Amino acid sequence: MKKQETKNSYAVFGLGEFGRSVAEELMAAGADVMAVDKDEDLISDIAPHVTMAVQVDATELHAFDSLGISNMDGVIVTMTSCLEASIMTIMAAKEAGVPFILAKSRNATMSSILERIGADKIVTPERDGGIRVARNIVNGNFIDFFELSKRVRMIEISVKQEWIGHNLKELSLRQKHNLNVVALRRGGELTTMLNPDQPFQSGDSVLVIIDKKYIDELR
């Protein structure tokens, strides 16, 4: 009998435009999502679209007692208008042992504070849109993820272990895996001047273009 895969679960705190787009995209990707906000109207609005929606004020002392965030694979904190709420949420998630905490920031000062108290990744509205962030979370082995069109995706991925020591000619990635390699990142430097005879090394990553129907195979 095939073993049933367990869904990843995430808690999204703050249901502004960014937070809502993250929550809905995570749901669309097959995750379980608990959406949390102190605004009753926002909770009512998103409730039909997520696994669970909870009205909670994150600045209250016992706000997290009944949420069960210790069972989450990740917590996403998006309340940039209230630094206190962001800090308390991150601290609660760290104390609960949540393995991954992503926080939205409005400026460099806030980013520094949130990183120091335990956020694993900081994003800003100028740098990442909510949908792109959500997809990067779900596709955790992807370094970056872009939509070029409804069908075509450009993804940066770490070179697979079995590719190391082999070159593009030997691997035939386009023919075997429908991957069009357009750039190589090595030692922090990105180049589009690819040598098909150059073997991949540990630590390399590649930028590939792929039809979305082949993404599950790549993942």
Side-chain angles (χ1 to χ4, degrees):
M1 180 181 294
K2 185 179 180 180
K3 184 179 179 180
Q4 187 175 1
E5 294 185 1
T6 303
K7 288 185 177 182
N8 286 336
S9 57
Y10 299 95
V12 179
F13 287 81
L15 298 176
E17 183 177 354
F18 180 92
R20 182 179 178 117
S21 67
V22 170
E24 292 183 341
E25 193 63 28
L26 286 170
M27 284 293 296
D32 284 325
V33 176
M34 178 173 66
V36 183
D37 199 284
K38 66 178 182 180
D39 189 309
E40 183 178 359
D41 291 335
L42 293 177
I43 289 297
S44 297
D45 191 42
I46 201 172
H49 308 289
V50 295
T51 309
M52 179 185 299
V54 185
Q55 182 186 5
V56 162
D57 184 347
T59 62
E60 294 180 355
L61 185 60
H62 301 291
F64 306 93
D65 291 352
S66 61
L67 294 180
I69 60 173
S70 60
N71 299 316
M72 298 294 168
D73 296 293
V75 165
I76 297 89
V77 183
T78 76
M79 301 92 74
T80 53
S81 62
C82 183
L83 179 57
E84 180 186 1
S86 295
I87 290 173
M88 291 188 67
T89 303
I90 292 170
M91 291 178 66
K94 291 294 288 186
E95 186 177 343
V98 177
F100 177 73
I101 304 169
L102 181 146
K104 179 188 173 189
S105 170
R106 64 175 180 266
N107 54 44
T109 300
M110 186 174 183
S111 295
S112 178
I113 294 170
L114 299 183
E115 186 174 13
R116 289 190 180 197
I117 63 172
D120 298 296
K121 184 174 178 62
I122 308 291
V123 297
T124 62
E126 293 77 15
R127 188 178 61 192
D128 289 288
I131 290 176
R132 180 178 163 196
V133 169
R135 288 179 176 170
N136 283 340
I137 294 171
V138 173
N139 301 293
N141 55 324
F142 298 168
I143 297 172
D144 221 339
F145 187 112
F146 307 87
E147 283 191 357
L148 300 183
S149 71
K150 289 183 177 180
R151 286 186 53 195
V152 180
R153 306 291 184 261
M154 184 165 64
I155 304 170
E156 184 175 356
I157 61 170
S158 298
V159 167
K160 295 177 180 293
Q161 185 65 35
E162 59 266 29
W163 296 358
I164 295 173
H166 300 281
N167 59 41
L168 287 171
K169 281 185 178 179
E170 295 171 331
L171 294 169
S172 301
L173 297 179
R174 182 181 297 178
Q175 292 76 19
K176 295 180 179 178
H177 301 290
N178 303 290
L179 297 178
N180 184 18
V181 179
V182 295
L184 168 72
R185 191 186 302 276
R186 175 172 291 170
E189 296 294 323
L190 188 69
T191 179
T192 57
M193 303 297 290
L194 300 175
N195 179 353
D197 296 310
Q198 183 181 47
F200 286 122
Q201 299 176 7
S202 178
D204 286 351
S205 64
V206 288
L207 203 63
V208 302
I209 294 177
I210 185 172
D211 191 296
K212 70 175 185 179
K213 66 184 178 182
Y214 298 118
I215 285 180
D216 281 344
E217 178 185 344
L218 177 61
R219 186 182 303 128

